[in-house]
Amino acid sequence: MSVTMSKADGVTVFTVAADPNSSVPPICQILKNLCCSPVCCSVSESLRRLQGGSLSALGALQILVGLLNIGLGTILICTGGGSWWQMDATGFPYWLGGLFILFGIFCILSERFPSPCLVTITVILNLCGIAFAITAVVLYSINIAHIGFWWICRDHDYWDDRSENMAVQGINSLLIILSALQLCLSISSSVLGIKALRKRQDPVEKVNMGQLCCYFCFVLS
């Protein structure tokens, strides 16, 4: 199956040659051909130039934030009084840390192999990363409030356990700061990718993605 686009007098025409022997729906065949086409998957020198070397640094920092989330979250969960039941039940430091690492890996790959498809995927992932970073700030803030009440109500020797309480509170505060850092990294990576996609000048890349999206909506309807 092949998809071609031509413009004339302000009119855009899509020509779709479907494979009659394929059991895959036409819309899936279109998406497959677009994702595997040289226009989307070929490495773009203009994107490489526009992105510069900042994306790898942002990706490395996101990976570091993810690793620290997993490591410090493990300490809180294993400390008995360092986590509330929601953290123990969902293990959100682990999957949040894994997602942050994934976002960082895609940032590095996007700089190493800056194809329009990979850069677009990286932008989408980092936009999702903004939401996950905000979620992390909220969850860790709730956790630090709950463990504060738990330590107040706990029957223990105040002076003996004061250092442990301060350490737990400090780890929680650090995780909140790291989540805020992840929010800034995700925003920066998204903005950098969007700017690069908007400013690229390769002739082969001049594909109107808005028109393609409208065409997909028309097919789906």
Side-chain angles (χ1 to χ4, degrees):
M1 180 179 184
S2 62
V3 180
T4 59
M5 182 183 69
S6 59
K7 293 182 180 181
D9 299 328
V11 178
T12 303
V13 178
F14 290 93
T15 304
V16 181
D19 183 3
N21 298 322
S22 177
S23 59
V24 180
I27 185 62
C28 296
Q29 296 182 40
I30 295 171
L31 291 173
K32 176 184 176 182
N33 278 270
L34 286 174
C35 292
C36 298
S37 66
V39 173
C40 293
C41 294
S42 59
V43 173
S44 169
E45 292 302 323
S46 66
L47 284 176
R48 189 190 302 275
R49 184 177 62 257
L50 289 167
Q51 288 187 139
S54 303
L55 212 54
S56 287
L58 293 173
L61 287 173
Q62 291 191 62
I63 293 174
L64 179 60
V65 170
L67 292 173
L68 288 173
N69 263 269
I70 295 173
L72 296 176
T74 301
I75 294 175
L76 289 179
I77 292 175
C78 295
T79 306
S83 60
W84 61 307
W85 69 269
Q86 193 69 31
M87 179 183 285
D88 297 333
T90 62
F92 62 80
Y94 302 125
W95 54 264
L96 283 173
L99 287 173
F100 296 159
I101 292 172
L102 176 66
F103 302 151
I105 291 174
F106 267 88
C107 285
I108 295 174
L109 290 176
S110 179
E111 183 177 314
R112 295 288 300 275
F113 311 102
S115 66
C117 182
L118 185 56
V119 174
T120 302
I121 292 174
T122 303
V123 170
I124 294 173
L125 288 176
N126 278 286
L127 290 174
C128 295
I130 295 173
F132 282 114
I134 295 173
T135 301
V137 172
V138 172
L139 289 175
Y140 287 125
S141 298
I142 295 173
N143 185 67
I144 198 171
H146 275 74
I147 64 173
F149 286 116
W150 186 87
W151 279 94
I152 291 174
C153 298
R154 181 183 174 187
D155 183 17
H156 65 290
D157 189 334
Y158 175 79
W159 296 108
D160 290 343
D161 291 344
R162 184 179 180 183
S163 59
E164 183 180 352
N165 183 20
M166 292 179 63
V168 168
Q169 298 279 359
I171 292 175
N172 267 277
S173 301
L174 179 58
L175 285 169
I176 294 174
I177 295 172
L178 289 173
S179 300
L181 174 61
Q182 174 64 31
L183 176 61
C184 297
L185 294 173
S186 295
I187 293 174
S188 300
S189 301
S190 300
V191 171
L192 189 62
I194 292 172
K195 285 184 176 180
L197 288 171
R198 288 177 60 87
K199 293 181 179 179
R200 70 186 191 275
Q201 296 296 327
D202 289 353
V204 73
E205 296 171 2
K206 292 181 179 179
V207 177
N208 193 324
M209 299 306 293
Q211 292 172 333
L212 289 177
C213 291
C214 291
Y215 172 72
F216 290 145
C217 292
F218 173 76
V219 173
L220 289 172
S221 62

